Amino acid sequence: MDKKVRSASRLHGEVTPPGDKSISHRAAILNSIALGRATVRNFLAADDCLSTLGCLRALGVDFTVSTGDSPTLDITGVGTRGFKEPEDVLNAGNSGTTLRLFAGLLAAQPFLSIMTGDASLRSRPLGRVVAPLKEMGAQIWGRDRDNHAPVAIRGGNLHGITYSLPVASAQLKSALLLAGLSAEGPTVLREPAQSRDHTERMLRAMGARLESEAAWLSLSPLTAALAPLSLNVPGDISSAAYWLVAAAVHPEARVRVTNVGVNPTRTGILDVLQDMGAKLRLENERQEGGEPVADIVVESSELRAVTVKGEIVPRLIDEVPVLAVAACLARGTTTIEDVGELRVKESDRIKNTVQELSRLGGRLEELPQGMIIHGARKLNGAVVSSHGDHRLAMMLAVAGSVARGETVIHDAGAVDISYPAFWRDMERLCSS
Ligand code: S3P
């Protein structure tokens, strides 16, 4: 699908981002191995989380999802021993979180599972998950020397390990925690920098014994079933980020983004936008489902360049493409380093961000592990492509909303992966 975007004369109003993708995946997966029923409100019923639900269905888990603006998942957990051997290949679609978390989940199951995904997912690295799961005792065979899906897993009889993760990755960490729940002995993990901690929060709330301190954690195997956890999923800060940047860079803007999850392991985008001089404030701060939540008000701002690198990177990794739009319009030269992981996301987000924003008149240079962005540029409408990557489709829409003339985005339907109502919300904010 192609989408045409024109510069908006003003950006005003209120918008509520959809439920958090990371938390929705975890709420479905962890509740599936708890014993009993849970109700998950504001569940993200978008393609990635539907891939997770499809895989759970194939393992014999019962659930219903209501449709509408704020879907509810009703799910009945079967316990860590209640899955049935799937009759067919499990398909994770475009979802890295599904593939990696299920690798850990299935590594604990005493039967054969085979997982695959779409072309993008089959090109993304899996070896980082397979190696430690094998060390825990699972039998796993992946394509291309275990580094890519399709992957076959025959699990069971695991033992905990002490492991230093080669990358700060919540998907890898969560896979090992899921396996560790059914292992013998503790699973002790250290990350190079702390990644999002939604799995840890949820596991604790469900009764698991887990100690943690910054980038270190130790999980004890379960001695009793996990308790089902009903929750309201907070809005996704990664989806909110498009409106935060759109309002900050637009000359006539005031937007309130409501019900946004502001877990400190996810709020790097707020810190960086504030460092850039964005007029942004948090209101109505509260707790929902064991996670901090707030409304965020943002207004037209004069932005200046920043340097982004080091420990903050895992706290904003998915927001780098839209941050690049802010940097194109900020005063000065922005450098973004240590984001090599972006090359193995749904697409190569370093190469594609530089290429597509350059088509709109931005001046960006690609670095092996990042990018340099020369700011204070006027953007001009052009024909661009999302490369089938949801986050690129949305960042290009933000760029298009301040570019002169018309921007045509190829493959704009990719937004369905994480934010199916994105185009509707954009139209509403631009015309209200
Ligand atoms: C996610 C973790 C991050 C992030 C992805 C979602 C998760 O990936 O980029 O969009 O839900 O755990 P990595 O774990 O590979 O860093």
Side-chain angles (χ1 to χ4, degrees), residues 15 176 211 220 323 428:
V15 63
L176 302 182
E211 288 170 57
S220 302
L323 198 53
R428 234 170 15 90

Side-chain angles (χ1 to χ4, degrees), residues 35-71:
L35 258 190
R37 258 187 85 166
T39 300
V40 182
R41 294 185 205 284
N42 201 33
F43 180 80
L44 177 68
D47 287 354
D48 264 15
C49 298
L50 296 179
S51 292
T52 279
L53 291 182
C55 293
L56 289 177
R57 178 89 76 205
L59 292 164
V61 179
D62 246 4
F63 59 82
T64 57
V65 205
S66 73
T67 49
D69 263 358
S70 176

Side-chain angles (χ1 to χ4, degrees), residues 308-356:
V308 176
K309 61 178 181 183
E311 296 240 320
I312 197 170
V313 164
R315 296 178 53 229
L316 51 63
I317 189 72
D318 293 336
E319 289 67 72
V320 171
V322 75
L323 198 53
V325 177
C328 282
L329 298 152
R331 205 163 8 94
T333 299
T334 291
T335 308
I336 304 179
E337 293 173 41
D338 306 326
V339 295
E341 272 293 299
L342 289 182
R343 294 208 184 269
V344 290
K345 295 292 182 188
E346 286 82 329
S347 75
D348 180 340
R349 288 183 179 158
I350 296 181
K351 175 167 157 269
N352 293 337
T353 296
V354 168
Q355 178 182 306
E356 300 305 319

Side-chain angles (χ1 to χ4, degrees), residues 34 37 51 57 80 93 122 160 253 295 329 342 369 417-418 423:
R37 258 187 85 166
S51 292
R57 178 89 76 205
T80 50
R122 281 183 275 113
D295 299 341
L329 298 152
L342 289 182
Q369 310 254 356
I417 291 292
S418 61
W423 298 114

